[in-house]
């Protein structure tokens, strides 16, 4: 059903060049292209979902071609919108409002077959990266730092420099704190000391904390109530219960992926087996018929020209050129016979009159 709906949407969305009138207004042209772009996004999302759920290998091949074509058409429409607006970013607020859609409906998902088809390469790449990182970290730990040799006087000078720098930082920090304290005392003296009672201040702090804790308790009770009446799923229960709908769906998706890969392997093996069977069963007859046709071509050419022709080279097409020549002669001979018969009939009619 989804495949039929998407096919109808594709055929109904595009307009033929004969019926399409040239658009002179840039805004109207962008609106038209934007509507087509959004429709193609919806088509792409549905087709990707169909491709993910179908297990039939031949249907998946057809859907894969349609998906690639749809993605190419999306890129073409995107290029047209960029040329119309001279910008990489577009705003579809009015179009989405007219089509009664949300921004989530036009998000372009990454097709899942990108990761499924390249799963082995991705695993190999991740394994190589892990091995490289492990080797790099091992080399870092095993590398020994070279010891710097210096005299006792040089070491004492370095220690003195660092100690004087430390003392200077502490002295600067202490002076900064004294200066900040003086500024605070000056500001308090100008504004007047605070008259708030410590009990009142503690009451304010308690009020804020109790409000925060009570809001958290209320939110938790509300979630428990929604879970109890069935309005919200329980994530903990789903993770523990194997028969929950979420776990069933995940297991079904894993089984579907395995079935798809199994059917694909069987399809590829069947192609090879059927080709071998046809080659064994009909190969000798086909070979004999082709040899007879080639011999007949040599004989006919000798009778027409008086000598045997040269066998066509690989550049000329080899034996394929012989069969093309024979097909062309048969077509011309059929037309010539028809013309002769027609001519004879015409003469007979003329003589009768």
């Amino acid at each position: 059903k989804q495949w039929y709906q998407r096919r109808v949407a594709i055929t109904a969305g595009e307009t033929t060049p004969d019926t399409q009138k040239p658009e002179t207004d840039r805004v109207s042209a962008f609106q038209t292209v934007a509507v087509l772009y959004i429709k193609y996004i919806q088509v792409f999302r549905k087709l990707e979902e169909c491709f993910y759920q179908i297990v039939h290998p031949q249907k998946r091949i057809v859907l894969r071609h349609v998906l690639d074509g749809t993605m190419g058409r999306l890129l073409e429409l995107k290029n047209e919108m960029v040329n119309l607006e001279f910008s990489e970013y577009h705003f579809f607020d009015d179009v989405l409002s007219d089509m009664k859609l949300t921004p989530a409906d036009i998000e372009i998902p990454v097709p899942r077959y990108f990761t499924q088809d390249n799963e082995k390469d991705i695993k190999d790449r991740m394994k190589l990266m892990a091995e490289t990182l492990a080797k790099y970290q091992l080399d870092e730990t095993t590398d020994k730092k070279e010891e710097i040799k210096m005299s006792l006087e040089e070491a004492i000078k370095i220690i003195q420099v660092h100690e004087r720098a430390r003392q200077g930082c502490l002295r600067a920090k202490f002076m900064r704190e004294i200066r900040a304290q003086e500024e605070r005392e000056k500001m308090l003296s100008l504004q007047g000391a605070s008259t708030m009672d410590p009990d009142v201040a503690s009451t304010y702090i308690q009020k804020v904390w109790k409000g925060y804790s009570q809001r958290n308790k209320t939110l938790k009770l509300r979630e428990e109530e929604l879970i109890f009446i069935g309005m919200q799923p329980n994530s903990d229960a789903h993770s523990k219960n194997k028969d929950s709908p979420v776990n069933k769906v995940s297991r079904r998706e894993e089984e579907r992926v395995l079935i798809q890969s199994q059917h694909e392997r069987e399809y590829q093996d069947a192609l090879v087996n059927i080709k071998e069977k046809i080659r064994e069963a009909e190969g000798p007859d086909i070979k004999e018929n082709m040899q007879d046709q080639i011999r007949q071509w040599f004989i006919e050419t000798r009778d027409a020209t008086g000598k045997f022709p040269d066998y066509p080279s690989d550049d000329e097409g080899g034996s394929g050129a012989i069969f093309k020549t024979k097909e062309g002669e048969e077509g011309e001979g059929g037309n010539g016979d028809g013309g002769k018969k027609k001519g004879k009939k015409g003469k007979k009619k003329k003589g009768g009159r």
Side-chain angles (χ1 to χ4, degrees), residues 196-299:
M196 182 178 288
D197 188 16
D199 294 336
V200 177
S202 63
T203 303
Y204 284 157
I205 295 172
Q206 290 176 3
K207 181 175 67 173
V208 174
W209 168 251
K210 287 181 178 179
Y212 173 75
S213 62
Q214 189 60 38
R215 282 192 296 272
N216 288 338
K217 289 179 182 179
T218 305
L219 182 61
K220 187 176 180 180
L221 290 174
R222 186 179 300 168
E223 291 179 355
E224 291 178 355
E225 182 181 0
L226 292 175
I227 292 171
F228 177 73
I229 62 178
M231 297 294 293
Q232 182 176 338
N234 189 357
S235 58
D236 297 334
H238 287 317
S239 60
K240 295 178 181 179
N241 187 10
K242 294 182 179 180
D243 296 332
S244 63
V246 177
N247 291 332
K248 285 183 178 180
V249 170
S250 62
R251 287 200 304 270
R252 186 61 58 83
E253 290 179 353
E254 294 175 358
E255 293 175 359
R256 186 187 300 120
V257 172
L258 293 176
I259 293 173
Q260 288 174 354
S261 59
Q262 180 182 356
H263 287 186
E264 183 66 25
R265 287 195 302 269
E266 293 177 355
Y267 174 69
Q268 296 298 333
D269 295 340
L271 288 178
V272 177
N273 296 332
I274 292 171
K275 188 176 180 180
E276 292 296 330
K277 289 180 180 178
I278 292 175
R279 182 177 296 173
E280 293 175 359
E282 302 181 5
D285 296 337
I286 296 174
K287 184 178 179 181
E288 186 177 354
N289 292 333
M290 292 176 68
Q291 289 176 352
D292 292 340
Q293 291 180 14
I294 292 173
R295 291 193 196 98
Q296 185 181 0
W297 176 77
F298 272 103
I299 294 171

Side-chain angles (χ1 to χ4, degrees), residues 22 72 85 118 158 248 282 291 303 321:
E85 282 204 331
N118 303 321
I158 292 174
K248 285 183 178 180
E282 302 181 5
Q291 289 176 352
D303 295 340

Side-chain angles (χ1 to χ4, degrees), residues 28-39:
S28 300
F30 175 78
Q31 293 289 331
T32 305
V33 177
V35 170
L36 272 178
Y37 181 74
I38 293 174
K39 287 184 178 180

Side-chain angles (χ1 to χ4, degrees), residues 61-190:
I61 292 173
V62 175
L63 278 177
R64 177 68 178 270
H65 287 298
V66 178
L67 264 176
D68 294 341
T70 306
M71 287 188 285
R73 183 59 180 148
L74 279 174
L75 293 176
E76 291 177 356
L77 293 173
K78 176 69 176 179
N79 186 31
E80 290 183 11
M81 289 191 296
V82 171
N83 293 333
L84 287 171
E85 282 204 331
F86 304 105
S87 175
E88 292 279 345
Y89 303 96
H90 314 288
F91 299 95
F92 304 111
D93 299 341
D94 50 350
V95 180
L96 291 177
S97 178
D98 295 339
M99 300 178 68
K100 298 181 180 179
L101 298 175
T102 61
D105 295 330
I106 61 171
E107 291 183 359
I108 303 177
V110 178
R112 280 165 280 195
Y113 65 83
F114 280 4
T115 56
Q116 290 178 359
D117 294 350
N118 303 321
E119 185 176 2
K120 185 178 179 181
D121 296 338
I122 293 173
K123 287 183 178 179
D124 294 341
R125 193 182 302 118
M126 296 299 294
K127 184 179 179 181
L128 179 62
M129 290 178 62
E131 292 176 354
T132 305
L133 290 175
K135 182 179 179 181
Y136 180 71
Q137 293 175 358
L138 183 62
D139 293 342
E140 277 189 346
T141 55
T142 54
D143 288 343
K144 295 182 179 179
K145 296 181 179 179
E146 297 181 358
E147 296 181 358
I148 301 175
K149 295 181 180 180
M150 64 177 64
S151 63
L152 181 62
E153 295 179 356
E154 293 177 352
I156 292 173
K157 287 182 180 179
I158 292 174
I159 294 173
Q160 287 177 349
V161 169
H162 284 281
E163 181 62 24
R164 288 170 183 168
R166 186 184 70 83
Q167 291 179 3
C169 292
L170 291 176
R171 190 178 298 109
K173 182 180 179 182
F174 181 68
M175 295 301 296
R176 196 182 304 114
E177 291 177 354
I178 291 176
R179 194 177 298 108
Q181 182 66 24
E182 291 177 354
E183 291 179 357
R184 284 196 296 269
E185 291 178 355
K186 185 177 179 180
M187 293 294 295
L188 290 174
S189 63
L190 294 175

